[in-house]
Structure formats: structure tokens, C-alpha cells
Amino acid sequence: MKQIVAIVGRPNVGKSTLMNRILGRREAIVEEQPGVTRDRKEVEANWQGREFTLVDTGGWIADGDSLDEQVSRQSERAIAEADVVLFVVDTTVGVTEDDARVAALLRGTDAPVIVVANKVDNNDRLPQASEFYKFGMGEIYSISSINGSGTGELLDEIVLSLKDSKEDSKEG
């Protein structure tokens, strides 16, 4: 069974755009309007010969309506099933209360969590990415899902984390 990489975060941080970038094709729906992704989308992906299942989720919202709650539950299910979690945040907005709540939720998972500071479309935005170190979740991977910068390093880290989590699951 292929290992699972879940892409999670609050709405409109670029989760679906990141999925499309990793896949190298338009698979997930991407719109400027927040909340377009409602259901989980699972697609087979690979990087340097390592295959895995990539799961795009709708945005996790703490205080939403009943549909938002259903979308959030899907994100939580993806987190529970994941071997690696990509926690996507938006450098153009900075740390939000919903980001902090997602970070708190992710602290309860056994899977490695990779913090992905998205929308670093130029070097001027690099300093904003460091703001996310406050979550205390390790290295921040600054990327641009739109132009692809930083995604190779991110994919290398995903593959390394998958190998680590696979070894850990054999021991347990």
C-alpha cells in the first residue's frame, strides 16, 4: 500500500495549487474564491521514483457552518491516515488564528509534519515565512506553488520523511 501525504491548512492558502504543482498537471480545482475544494481528492504522485498517494483537503475552519464542519472533518480524517502531513500556510497573510488552531491539531499526530510557507513568489517574501517558526514545528519550507520555486526541496523532504515514517511504523 502506498504511503499517504496529506495537504492541510486553512482555506485559500494554496493547497490545491500545490497539489497541481507536485503532480505537474491540473488535477485539483483552483479558484481565487475561498472554499472551492470541499471533498478530499486522492491522486497517485511520485518524486524521483518514490510513489505515494497525495491527498488534497478542503480548508480546515474552526468556527464554520455545518458544511465547513464536514470539510474540516475530512481534513482531520486525512491527517489521521497520513504518513506525512504538509501544513500549508500563506506568507502574504501571515499567521492567523485558524493557522494556530491547525498547528495545535497537528501536534496530536504521530506523522511527520512539514510546514510549507506558500506564496513566497519572490525573495522579498522570505522574511514573512520565518513568522511561522512560532509554531515550533521545525524547518519551514518556503515555496511558490504558482512558479514552482522551492518545490524540489520540499519534495526531497517529503520523500525523506516517508522513508523515516515507514521505518518507524515497522518498529512499532
Side-chain angles (χ1 to χ4, degrees), residues 66-84:
S66 61
L67 179 58
D68 293 332
E69 282 182 30
Q70 290 174 14
V71 172
S72 295
R73 297 298 91 55
Q74 286 291 331
S75 293
E76 291 168 17
R77 194 173 124 218
I79 292 165
E81 295 171 356
D83 294 292
V84 173

Side-chain angles (χ1 to χ4, degrees), residues 92-148:
T92 65
V93 174
V95 175
T96 69
E97 182 60 34
D98 277 338
D99 289 328
R101 289 178 176 181
V102 174
L105 177 71
L106 291 173
R107 285 189 188 94
T109 184
D110 292 331
V113 176
I114 301 171
V115 180
V116 181
N118 194 20
K119 304 185 185 179
V120 181
D121 301 333
N122 58 56
N123 287 340
D124 295 341
R125 291 193 182 157
L126 277 171
Q128 287 114 308
S130 64
E131 187 180 347
F132 295 95
Y133 278 110
K134 76 185 288 179
F135 294 138
M137 302 180 101
E139 188 65 38
I140 306 292
Y141 286 82
S142 299
I143 68 153
S144 170
S145 294
I146 293 288
N147 70 31

Side-chain angles (χ1 to χ4, degrees), residues 12 30 58:
N12 227 31
V30 178

